[in-house]
Amino acid sequence: MSDVSRTALITGAGRGIGRAVALRLAAAGHRVALTARNRDELDETAKLCDGPAIVVPADLTAQGSVDDVFAMVEAEFGPVEILVANAGAGNSAPIARITDLDWQRMLDLNLTAPFRCIRRAVPTMVDAGYGRIVVVASVASKRGEPYIAAYTAAKHGVLGLVRSAAAELARTGVTVNAVCPAYVDTPMTTDTITMIANRTGRSPEEARRLLADKQPIGRLITSEEVADAVWFCVANPGVTGQGINVDGGAIQS
């Protein structure tokens, strides 16, 4: 339990990592504002939270939606003091088959939406002398893999954004970090498993093992393990500008 209850906004909070982060912050005594596109999933997350929680459905890639979400949170809970930019998605295709639409969709969701959230959060955080910004990035922020060029480019970009923002805000009381998971046991990974099975003829079990074996520990990362890393970034004011790997030892840094 934290000594001070603060207002936290979690994007992509309807399921998976976002839900685990919301529960972790709520358990610490913070007020949580939950946003994603699916209201039913958000409502379920809110029911699971221990403490005040509000649901703000939105598509953060839509023009003006970030400002609208922040305004609703501020009206209910006050200024956002903790921002966890978790919303994201991936796609897979050889470079020659990546369409302009696919490329732009990856940039819009994985890079531009977090940028807009950070831009909107920073002024009130700086004025207050306190802020915690955590972007859920990916190990794809630090290495390249075949067939995910658009996703990887966006995730490399968002890690650069985190590092630059952290340097700019270092003396203001605002920290900015990224958490970089490998394959996490979430609905997003389940979708990836289905795609691999459909494209390769492997069974879903074989496809799941293929992804699990990418981590040296031999299993998928859990959402709770990622949420713990997010909490570390929130709780420790001496940590900023970092990309913290939660990947079972895949990238040693």
Side-chain angles (χ1 to χ4, degrees):
M1 181 70 66
S2 298
D3 294 334
V4 179
S5 179
R6 299 190 182 276
T7 296
L9 171 61
I10 303 101
T11 75
R15 59 183 188 166
I17 293 170
R19 176 175 288 179
V21 169
L23 298 184
R24 186 72 175 82
L25 293 176
H30 298 305
R31 303 175 294 274
V32 295
L34 314 171
T35 189
R37 287 177 292 183
N38 188 310
R39 175 182 282 276
D40 290 341
E41 291 179 347
L42 290 173
D43 286 339
E44 183 61 30
T45 300
K47 290 176 184 176
L48 296 170
C49 287
D50 181 16
I54 58 170
V55 165
V56 188
D59 176 358
L60 294 180
T61 65
Q63 195 67 35
S65 64
V66 168
D67 287 336
D68 291 342
V69 167
F70 271 79
M72 285 185 272
V73 175
E74 289 164 349
E76 185 73 22
F77 282 161
V80 172
E81 298 162 288
I82 300 167
L83 168 66
V84 181
N86 165 72
N91 75 338
S92 175
I95 288 175
R97 296 182 186 174
I98 298 172
T99 66
D100 286 352
L101 183 62
D102 289 338
W103 176 265
Q104 193 61 52
R105 187 171 69 90
M106 288 296 96
L107 294 180
D108 287 346
L109 184 55
N110 296 308
L111 179 55
T112 302
F115 160 70
R116 288 173 174 164
C117 289
I118 292 170
R119 179 177 63 185
R120 182 61 172 75
V122 161
T124 55
M125 289 182 175
V126 170
D127 286 346
Y130 174 93
R132 298 289 181 265
I133 297 170
V134 186
V135 176
V136 178
S138 169
V139 291
S141 298
K142 298 186 176 183
R143 71 182 183 195
E145 288 192 15
Y147 310 119
I148 55 170
Y151 178 78
T152 300
K155 291 297 186 179
H156 270 65
V158 85
L159 183 56
L161 169 64
V162 162
R163 288 168 168 166
S164 185
E168 182 176 328
L169 300 170
R171 294 181 180 271
T172 67
V174 180
T175 66
V176 190
N177 291 287
V179 172
C180 301
Y183 285 99
V184 184
D185 193 0
T186 63
M188 180 174 166
T189 297
T190 299
D191 293 342
T192 301
I193 289 168
T194 300
M195 180 196 66
I196 291 171
N198 290 339
R199 289 186 178 180
T200 66
R202 290 183 170 94
S203 70
E205 293 74 19
E206 290 170 331
R208 184 181 179 87
R209 173 47 52 191
L210 181 71
L211 297 186
D213 284 343
K214 286 181 175 291
Q215 286 75 236
I217 57 176
R219 63 169 176 82
L220 299 177
I221 304 301
T222 70
S223 295
E224 290 72 23
E225 288 166 339
V226 181
D228 283 344
V230 171
W231 175 247
F232 170 74
C233 296
V234 171
N236 194 323
V239 176
T240 193
Q242 303 305 307
I244 298 173
N245 302 332
V246 187
D247 64 354
I251 298 177
Q252 296 181 350
S253 62

mmCIF file of all heavy atoms in Angstrom, residues 160-189:
data_model
loop_
_atom_site.group_PDB
_atom_site.id
_atom_site.type_symbol
_atom_site.label_atom_id
_atom_site.label_comp_id
_atom_site.label_asym_id
_atom_site.label_seq_id
_atom_site.Cartn_x
_atom_site.Cartn_y
_atom_site.Cartn_z
ATOM 1 N N GLY A 160 13.001 5.148 -28.007
ATOM 2 C CA GLY A 160 13.700 6.409 -28.200
ATOM 3 C C GLY A 160 12.938 7.573 -27.591
ATOM 4 O O GLY A 160 13.535 8.483 -26.982
ATOM 5 N N LEU A 161 11.630 7.569 -27.733
ATOM 6 C CA LEU A 161 10.792 8.599 -27.122
ATOM 7 C C LEU A 161 10.955 8.585 -25.609
ATOM 8 O O LEU A 161 11.105 9.646 -24.975
ATOM 9 C CB LEU A 161 9.330 8.345 -27.506
ATOM 10 C CG LEU A 161 8.266 9.143 -26.765
ATOM 11 C CD1 LEU A 161 8.406 10.636 -27.041
ATOM 12 C CD2 LEU A 161 6.864 8.656 -27.162
ATOM 13 N N VAL A 162 10.924 7.416 -25.005
ATOM 14 C CA VAL A 162 11.080 7.283 -23.550
ATOM 15 C C VAL A 162 12.423 7.854 -23.106
ATOM 16 O O VAL A 162 12.505 8.626 -22.143
ATOM 17 C CB VAL A 162 10.947 5.803 -23.138
ATOM 18 C CG1 VAL A 162 11.524 5.557 -21.752
ATOM 19 C CG2 VAL A 162 9.487 5.372 -23.200
ATOM 20 N N ARG A 163 13.477 7.499 -23.790
ATOM 21 C CA ARG A 163 14.807 7.943 -23.388
ATOM 22 C C ARG A 163 14.941 9.458 -23.506
ATOM 23 O O ARG A 163 15.516 10.111 -22.620
ATOM 24 C CB ARG A 163 15.857 7.236 -24.251
ATOM 25 C CG ARG A 163 16.006 5.753 -23.910
ATOM 26 C CD ARG A 163 16.819 5.019 -24.947
ATOM 27 N NE ARG A 163 17.194 3.679 -24.482
ATOM 28 C CZ ARG A 163 17.668 2.719 -25.274
ATOM 29 N NH1 ARG A 163 17.794 2.935 -26.575
ATOM 30 N NH2 ARG A 163 18.003 1.549 -24.774
ATOM 31 N N SER A 164 14.427 10.009 -24.577
ATOM 32 C CA SER A 164 14.523 11.455 -24.762
ATOM 33 C C SER A 164 13.688 12.206 -23.738
ATOM 34 O O SER A 164 14.136 13.204 -23.153
ATOM 35 C CB SER A 164 14.074 11.826 -26.183
ATOM 36 O OG SER A 164 14.276 13.204 -26.430
ATOM 37 N N ALA A 165 12.460 11.726 -23.489
ATOM 38 C CA ALA A 165 11.602 12.371 -22.495
ATOM 39 C C ALA A 165 12.220 12.295 -21.107
ATOM 40 O O ALA A 165 12.164 13.257 -20.327
ATOM 41 C CB ALA A 165 10.221 11.731 -22.507
ATOM 42 N N ALA A 166 12.814 11.146 -20.782
ATOM 43 C CA ALA A 166 13.455 10.999 -19.471
ATOM 44 C C ALA A 166 14.588 11.997 -19.295
ATOM 45 O O ALA A 166 14.742 12.600 -18.223
ATOM 46 C CB ALA A 166 13.963 9.574 -19.301
ATOM 47 N N ALA A 167 15.390 12.172 -20.330
ATOM 48 C CA ALA A 167 16.498 13.124 -20.251
ATOM 49 C C ALA A 167 15.988 14.555 -20.081
ATOM 50 O O ALA A 167 16.539 15.346 -19.302
ATOM 51 C CB ALA A 167 17.360 13.012 -21.507
ATOM 52 N N GLU A 168 14.932 14.874 -20.790
ATOM 53 C CA GLU A 168 14.362 16.225 -20.723
ATOM 54 C C GLU A 168 13.754 16.519 -19.362
ATOM 55 O O GLU A 168 13.833 17.652 -18.871
ATOM 56 C CB GLU A 168 13.307 16.364 -21.821
ATOM 57 C CG GLU A 168 12.655 17.730 -21.896
ATOM 58 C CD GLU A 168 11.687 17.841 -23.071
ATOM 59 O OE1 GLU A 168 11.938 17.186 -24.111
ATOM 60 O OE2 GLU A 168 10.694 18.579 -22.938
ATOM 61 N N LEU A 169 13.170 15.514 -18.727
ATOM 62 C CA LEU A 169 12.399 15.721 -17.506
ATOM 63 C C LEU A 169 13.147 15.308 -16.241
ATOM 64 O O LEU A 169 12.583 15.334 -15.148
ATOM 65 C CB LEU A 169 11.086 14.933 -17.592
ATOM 66 C CG LEU A 169 10.156 15.312 -18.747
ATOM 67 C CD1 LEU A 169 9.031 14.303 -18.871
ATOM 68 C CD2 LEU A 169 9.609 16.722 -18.580
ATOM 69 N N ALA A 170 14.417 14.984 -16.361
ATOM 70 C CA ALA A 170 15.141 14.358 -15.254
ATOM 71 C C ALA A 170 15.146 15.186 -13.977
ATOM 72 O O ALA A 170 15.175 14.624 -12.882
ATOM 73 C CB ALA A 170 16.578 14.052 -15.683
ATOM 74 N N ARG A 171 15.105 16.497 -14.080
ATOM 75 C CA ARG A 171 15.182 17.344 -12.881
ATOM 76 C C ARG A 171 13.816 17.857 -12.414
ATOM 77 O O ARG A 171 13.742 18.765 -11.578
ATOM 78 C CB ARG A 171 16.123 18.524 -13.128
ATOM 79 C CG ARG A 171 17.571 18.108 -13.328
ATOM 80 C CD ARG A 171 18.480 19.315 -13.543
ATOM 81 N NE ARG A 171 19.859 18.899 -13.735
ATOM 82 C CZ ARG A 171 20.760 18.731 -12.758
ATOM 83 N NH1 ARG A 171 20.399 18.967 -11.489
ATOM 84 N NH2 ARG A 171 21.995 18.355 -13.022
ATOM 85 N N THR A 172 12.757 17.287 -12.941
ATOM 86 C CA THR A 172 11.418 17.814 -12.650
ATOM 87 C C THR A 172 10.634 16.979 -11.648
ATOM 88 O O THR A 172 9.530 17.379 -11.248
ATOM 89 C CB THR A 172 10.584 17.879 -13.942
ATOM 90 O OG1 THR A 172 10.324 16.539 -14.411
ATOM 91 C CG2 THR A 172 11.295 18.681 -15.033
ATOM 92 N N GLY A 173 11.141 15.817 -11.278
ATOM 93 C CA GLY A 173 10.372 14.901 -10.451
ATOM 94 C C GLY A 173 9.538 13.921 -11.248
ATOM 95 O O GLY A 173 8.783 13.130 -10.677
ATOM 96 N N VAL A 174 9.664 13.971 -12.565
ATOM 97 C CA VAL A 174 8.928 13.066 -13.451
ATOM 98 C C VAL A 174 9.901 12.035 -14.017
ATOM 99 O O VAL A 174 10.927 12.398 -14.601
ATOM 100 C CB VAL A 174 8.258 13.837 -14.600
ATOM 101 C CG1 VAL A 174 7.488 12.875 -15.514
ATOM 102 C CG2 VAL A 174 7.338 14.919 -14.062
ATOM 103 N N THR A 175 9.596 10.761 -13.835
ATOM 104 C CA THR A 175 10.416 9.700 -14.415
ATOM 105 C C THR A 175 9.689 9.089 -15.607
ATOM 106 O O THR A 175 8.456 9.040 -15.650
ATOM 107 C CB THR A 175 10.743 8.604 -13.388
ATOM 108 O OG1 THR A 175 9.543 7.920 -13.002
ATOM 109 C CG2 THR A 175 11.420 9.191 -12.160
ATOM 110 N N VAL A 176 10.479 8.626 -16.562
ATOM 111 C CA VAL A 176 9.931 8.027 -17.778
ATOM 112 C C VAL A 176 10.728 6.764 -18.073
ATOM 113 O O VAL A 176 11.955 6.812 -18.235
ATOM 114 C CB VAL A 176 10.024 8.983 -18.980
ATOM 115 C CG1 VAL A 176 9.222 8.433 -20.161
ATOM 116 C CG2 VAL A 176 9.550 10.382 -18.615
ATOM 117 N N ASN A 177 10.038 5.647 -18.124
ATOM 118 C CA ASN A 177 10.697 4.358 -18.361
ATOM 119 C C ASN A 177 9.875 3.509 -19.320
ATOM 120 O O ASN A 177 8.686 3.759 -19.540
ATOM 121 C CB ASN A 177 10.876 3.595 -17.043
ATOM 122 C CG ASN A 177 11.886 4.243 -16.138
ATOM 123 O OD1 ASN A 177 13.094 4.179 -16.390
ATOM 124 N ND2 ASN A 177 11.427 4.890 -15.070
ATOM 125 N N ALA A 178 10.530 2.497 -19.858
ATOM 126 C CA ALA A 178 9.845 1.482 -20.661
ATOM 127 C C ALA A 178 10.066 0.120 -20.034
ATOM 128 O O ALA A 178 11.123 -0.154 -19.471
ATOM 129 C CB ALA A 178 10.370 1.484 -22.093
ATOM 130 N N VAL A 179 9.052 -0.708 -20.108
ATOM 131 C CA VAL A 179 9.169 -2.114 -19.756
ATOM 132 C C VAL A 179 9.088 -2.903 -21.055
ATOM 133 O O VAL A 179 8.192 -2.673 -21.877
ATOM 134 C CB VAL A 179 8.063 -2.530 -18.772
ATOM 135 C CG1 VAL A 179 8.059 -4.036 -18.554
ATOM 136 C CG2 VAL A 179 8.244 -1.807 -17.447
ATOM 137 N N CYS A 180 10.037 -3.809 -21.249
ATOM 138 C CA CYS A 180 10.191 -4.477 -22.541
ATOM 139 C C CYS A 180 10.000 -5.985 -22.391
ATOM 140 O O CYS A 180 10.968 -6.736 -22.183
ATOM 141 C CB CYS A 180 11.576 -4.176 -23.109
ATOM 142 S SG CYS A 180 11.919 -2.414 -23.346
ATOM 143 N N PRO A 181 8.759 -6.455 -22.480
ATOM 144 C CA PRO A 181 8.512 -7.892 -22.326
ATOM 145 C C PRO A 181 8.849 -8.663 -23.600
ATOM 146 O O PRO A 181 8.826 -8.130 -24.713
ATOM 147 C CB PRO A 181 7.003 -7.969 -22.054
ATOM 148 C CG PRO A 181 6.528 -6.547 -21.930
ATOM 149 C CD PRO A 181 7.521 -5.701 -22.621
ATOM 150 N N ALA A 182 9.122 -9.943 -23.401
ATOM 151 C CA ALA A 182 9.169 -10.882 -24.514
ATOM 152 C C ALA A 182 7.745 -11.390 -24.741
ATOM 153 O O ALA A 182 6.784 -10.649 -24.537
ATOM 154 C CB ALA A 182 10.150 -12.001 -24.195
ATOM 155 N N TYR A 183 7.591 -12.624 -25.176
ATOM 156 C CA TYR A 183 6.249 -13.155 -25.423
ATOM 157 C C TYR A 183 5.554 -13.408 -24.086
ATOM 158 O O TYR A 183 6.055 -14.148 -23.249
ATOM 159 C CB TYR A 183 6.315 -14.434 -26.251
ATOM 160 C CG TYR A 183 6.623 -14.171 -27.703
ATOM 161 C CD1 TYR A 183 7.917 -14.315 -28.196
ATOM 162 C CD2 TYR A 183 5.620 -13.757 -28.570
ATOM 163 C CE1 TYR A 183 8.203 -14.049 -29.528
ATOM 164 C CE2 TYR A 183 5.897 -13.494 -29.907
ATOM 165 C CZ TYR A 183 7.192 -13.641 -30.377
ATOM 166 O OH TYR A 183 7.469 -13.371 -31.691
ATOM 167 N N VAL A 184 4.417 -12.764 -23.904
ATOM 168 C CA VAL A 184 3.666 -12.823 -22.654
ATOM 169 C C VAL A 184 2.415 -13.668 -22.881
ATOM 170 O O VAL A 184 1.814 -13.635 -23.965
ATOM 171 C CB VAL A 184 3.289 -11.410 -22.176
ATOM 172 C CG1 VAL A 184 2.597 -11.457 -20.815
ATOM 173 C CG2 VAL A 184 4.538 -10.531 -22.094
ATOM 174 N N ASP A 185 2.007 -14.376 -21.863
ATOM 175 C CA ASP A 185 0.830 -15.238 -21.960
ATOM 176 C C ASP A 185 -0.431 -14.380 -21.890
ATOM 177 O O ASP A 185 -1.066 -14.238 -20.844
ATOM 178 C CB ASP A 185 0.847 -16.261 -20.827
ATOM 179 C CG ASP A 185 -0.155 -17.386 -21.044
ATOM 180 O OD1 ASP A 185 -0.850 -17.369 -22.079
ATOM 181 O OD2 ASP A 185 -0.232 -18.279 -20.186
ATOM 182 N N THR A 186 -0.798 -13.780 -23.022
ATOM 183 C CA THR A 186 -1.924 -12.864 -23.124
ATOM 184 C C THR A 186 -2.757 -13.218 -24.351
ATOM 185 O O THR A 186 -2.327 -13.986 -25.210
ATOM 186 C CB THR A 186 -1.444 -11.410 -23.278
ATOM 187 O OG1 THR A 186 -0.695 -11.303 -24.514
ATOM 188 C CG2 THR A 186 -0.567 -10.980 -22.105
ATOM 189 N N PRO A 187 -3.948 -12.612 -24.478
ATOM 190 C CA PRO A 187 -4.744 -12.831 -25.691
ATOM 191 C C PRO A 187 -4.005 -12.426 -26.971
ATOM 192 O O PRO A 187 -4.202 -13.050 -28.024
ATOM 193 C CB PRO A 187 -5.971 -11.945 -25.453
ATOM 194 C CG PRO A 187 -6.135 -11.927 -23.964
ATOM 195 C CD PRO A 187 -4.726 -11.899 -23.428
ATOM 196 N N MET A 188 -3.143 -11.395 -26.892
ATOM 197 C CA MET A 188 -2.378 -10.988 -28.072
ATOM 198 C C MET A 188 -1.453 -12.116 -28.528
ATOM 199 O O MET A 188 -1.339 -12.396 -29.728
ATOM 200 C CB MET A 188 -1.570 -9.729 -27.764
ATOM 201 C CG MET A 188 -0.729 -9.214 -28.919
ATOM 202 S SD MET A 188 0.046 -7.639 -28.492
ATOM 203 C CE MET A 188 1.260 -7.505 -29.802
ATOM 204 N N THR A 189 -0.816 -12.795 -27.577
ATOM 205 C CA THR A 189 0.044 -13.918 -27.935
ATOM 206 C C THR A 189 -0.773 -15.101 -28.435
ATOM 207 O O THR A 189 -0.344 -15.826 -29.340
ATOM 208 C CB THR A 189 0.912 -14.320 -26.732
ATOM 209 O OG1 THR A 189 1.767 -13.216 -26.401
ATOM 210 C CG2 THR A 189 1.773 -15.530 -27.045
#
